[in-house]
Amino acid sequence: MKLAMWKLAAGEGMGQETTEEKRKAGEEYISKLQSDGEKIVKVEEVEGYLKIYMEE
Amino acid sequence: MPIFNQFYAGEGKTRFDQGGFDSTTNLDVHTELGSARCQFALAQESATPNEASFSAVVSNGDTYFCSKTTGKIWKRTRAGVYSLAHTNANTAHTGCRYYNGYLYFWTASKLGRFNLSSTWTDTFGTFSNGKGAGVEEINLTLWICDGKYIASVNSAGTFTANALDFPANYVATCCVGYESSLLVGTQIGNYVTTCKSYLWDTWSDSWVIEDEIYETGINCFVKADNIILAQAGTTGTLYYWTGGAMELLGSIRGVTTASGHQNAAVLNGKPLILIGTDVYSIYKADKDYPIAITHEYTATASGSSIVVMGNQVFVSNASGVDYIGANRATAVLVTPEAAGRTNMVEVGYSSLPTGTSIGIETSVDGASYVSQTAITDTINKKVYFDGGLPTNNFMQARITLNPSTTLTPVVTYVNTL
């Protein structure tokens, strides 16, 4: 399996994405992976990251 | 009248700056401080890759060239044999780098890797913003610019698409390690004359320091000894990172610059920057001397990347790969504008091997250069022309050092009298 990580923790710098925005962007990223032909096996949230498992 | 012998100062700030030369071409001023000679010539080593490429040297000394226009990846063995190694299904590359036992190569949207034996993985990771660009390795991790994100691959081989995010209007172009932090250069757009550099400790959720400069973007970073230079904007401007801000250093005069994160390399401690066909050094060979900007090499065609392998330099272009050959290049240096009546020019030399020569041209009061008949005085070791300039208010001399294959003149001063 292939793994991609998506960070959810928000920074505090001016203009940085909030956690909510990061979560939404993460969903869009997963959709992008799927539209690129990646087969998503499992998505889990661990310690402030989405762990996206894909078929090799 | 002025004697110009501080070759180690390289090019001056302007045509009028008496502390440096107005221009230099293919000039080596660092090998023996206080003298100047012809630098080695860049020559084409191979007609393939015949596409402008990014380049990366891997642990065994092989060099890979990843095409900027197609998915082709070529290998140059350490011994100098070129071959097509792979074709990336994701097509045109935007960077490559050796890291942790793998050659990583990427397009705008996909990161691939090769285990240096047999397994090519074209899609190892997917960038979120489709803007894969510059790269750096620091803190055991590979960091790759992707638009408003920095993506990463850690030492366990895990890809993270958004290790750091910037404000949405900033596009990360290049990055470099500074102490144990990552310094990122950005741009907003080609017509927006402001951009920022961000310093990030690679652990926190936010960057630590940001600094704005009024340029259209940071094109590349140039690593030097304990100093990070940034080339920014379209006119050759150089900044250096103070630790908290980008401070103006100066500029490479008369050049047009554009984004290119692989346009800099370090050869034996000497930082080099590739601008079109020209390769400049930004270097001081001794702590007591100033940082000199000197034109050292001329590529056979406009380059797309520069990389160093051992003591060798490779410059990729659309027609092949250049390397440092055995022969010397014809070198030219131009003195600053010297005020006052000038009637002759003499060039002192330390060595003038058989077959080599020194040419002298003069420009008076801003008129075109006129070639002068040079006389060689082997007793006093100087080449001069015997006066006869028209009445003038100021003058510049253009000195040409003509090599003979591997042999070069070594000059020690230019005197305008």
Side-chain angles (χ1 to χ4, degrees):
Chain A
M1 276 199 297
K2 217 162 51 174
L3 171 64
M5 304 274 280
W6 185 266
K7 190 175 182 179
L8 293 172
E12 295 175 348
M14 187 72 79
Q16 282 192 285
E17 294 171 343
T18 63
T19 298
E20 192 176 314
E21 287 168 334
K22 285 198 165 181
R23 191 176 293 280
K24 184 163 179 284
E27 289 167 5
E28 290 170 358
Y29 181 64
I30 291 169
S31 297
K32 175 185 170 61
L33 292 174
Q34 288 174 318
S35 66
D36 283 358
E38 298 283 4
K39 293 192 169 36
I40 310 291
V41 176
K42 183 172 68 170
V43 178
E44 60 181 7
E45 188 172 331
V46 179
E47 294 175 346
Y49 285 86
L50 292 179
K51 296 179 94 169
I52 306 161
Y53 295 92
M54 294 163 280
E55 282 185 7
E56 194 74 49
Chain B
M1 298 302 282
I3 296 179
F4 303 103
N5 57 8
Q6 297 182 339
F7 299 101
Y8 52 77
E11 297 190 356
K13 310 293 184 195
T14 71
R15 177 161 53 105
F16 309 104
D17 179 2
Q18 305 296 304
F21 287 86
D22 183 21
S23 78
T24 56
T25 306
N26 302 330
L27 198 65
D28 172 9
V29 299
H30 295 300
T31 294
E32 283 189 285
L33 292 171
S35 69
R37 69 195 67 202
C38 302
Q39 185 53 278
F40 288 97
L42 289 183
Q44 187 179 75
E45 183 181 53
S46 171
T48 56
N50 57 350
E51 296 170 7
S53 300
F54 292 101
S55 43
V57 178
V58 302
S59 52
N60 65 359
D62 291 347
T63 305
Y64 288 85
F65 295 89
C66 301
S67 172
K68 294 174 80 170
T69 53
T70 71
K72 289 180 179 175
I73 298 175
W74 290 267
K75 180 172 95 169
R76 178 198 186 274
T77 66
R78 189 178 53 182
V81 178
Y82 287 78
S83 62
L84 181 65
H86 178 65
T87 300
N88 181 355
N90 295 320
T91 68
H93 299 94
T94 57
C96 59
R97 174 74 173 245
Y98 172 74
Y99 167 65
N100 207 24
Y102 290 86
L103 170 71
Y104 283 86
F105 49 92
W106 54 96
T107 66
S109 59
K110 301 286 184 183
L111 172 67
R113 70 179 189 176
F114 171 51
N115 67 356
L116 305 186
S117 79
S118 58
T119 305
W120 294 85
T121 305
D122 287 350
T123 304
F124 172 74
T126 298
F127 296 125
S128 176
N129 297 311
K131 292 180 178 174
V135 63
E136 177 62 303
E137 178 195 339
I138 192 167
N139 295 342
L140 304 176
T141 303
L142 190 71
W143 310 97
I144 305 173
C145 300
D146 171 33
K148 62 178 179 177
Y149 291 157
I150 297 294
S152 68
V153 180
N154 67 15
S155 55
T158 301
F159 174 76
T160 300
N162 64 336
L164 177 69
D165 66 293
F166 299 112
N169 55 332
Y170 285 90
V171 175
T173 53
C174 52
C175 54
V176 66
Y178 173 75
E179 296 180 346
S180 58
S181 295
L182 187 71
L183 183 61
V184 182
T186 65
Q187 75 164 164
I188 295 176
N190 290 338
Y191 303 100
V192 180
T193 52
T194 180
C195 63
K196 287 185 179 179
S197 51
Y198 293 90
L199 186 74
W200 177 44
D201 61 14
T202 75
W203 307 110
S204 304
D205 294 327
S206 298
W207 56 88
V208 180
I209 294 171
E210 65 181 74
D211 183 54
E212 188 170 49
I213 57 172
Y214 302 99
E215 302 281 358
T216 51
I218 295 176
N219 297 325
C220 67
F221 286 112
V222 186
K223 292 182 179 182
D225 185 29
N226 292 326
I227 186 171
I228 299 294
L229 307 176
Q231 195 287 303
T234 57
T235 56
T237 310
L238 296 168
Y239 293 80
Y240 69 96
W241 181 249
T242 64
M246 281 293 172
E247 191 80 29
L248 182 66
L249 177 75
S251 66
I252 301 171
R253 294 162 47 214
V255 298
T256 300
T257 44
S259 185
H261 66 85
Q262 268 212 343
N263 283 352
V266 182
L267 174 64
N268 297 325
K270 183 195 294 181
L272 302 175
I273 183 166
L274 169 68
I275 302 171
T277 58
D278 301 316
V279 179
Y280 289 84
S281 65
I282 308 165
Y283 181 58
K284 58 177 178 180
D286 185 281
K287 72 177 177 60
D288 296 328
Y289 285 13
I291 294 176
I293 296 172
T294 311
H295 183 291
E296 296 221 17
Y297 301 98
T298 304
T300 59
S302 185
S304 55
S305 69
I306 182 168
V307 71
V308 168
M309 191 278 292
N311 295 321
Q312 188 52 271
V313 169
F314 299 120
V315 177
S316 168
N317 60 60
S319 305
V321 174
D322 289 350
Y323 76 128
I324 298 174
N327 290 337
R328 301 278 179 165
T330 299
V332 179
L333 61 91
V334 178
T335 63
E337 194 172 288
R341 175 95 169 87
T342 304
N343 202 40
M344 66 176 291
V345 177
E346 61 182 26
V347 181
Y349 65 85
S350 169
S351 174
L352 192 63
T354 302
T356 69
S357 63
I358 296 169
I360 299 173
E361 297 166 281
T362 53
S363 165
V364 295
D365 292 353
S368 298
Y369 278 94
V370 174
S371 180
Q372 305 292 349
T373 302
I375 299 164
T376 302
D377 177 347
T378 57
I379 296 172
N380 295 299
K381 289 194 176 296
K382 64 184 181 183
V383 173
Y384 64 99
F385 86 92
D386 203 9
L389 286 177
T391 302
N392 58 80
N393 299 298
F394 56 88
M395 193 278 290
Q396 285 184 278
R398 185 161 68 190
I399 310 301
T400 302
L401 309 184
N402 298 301
S404 174
T405 60
T406 61
L407 304 175
T408 173
V410 178
V411 299
T412 51
Y413 68 86
V414 179
N415 193 7
T416 58
L417 302 161

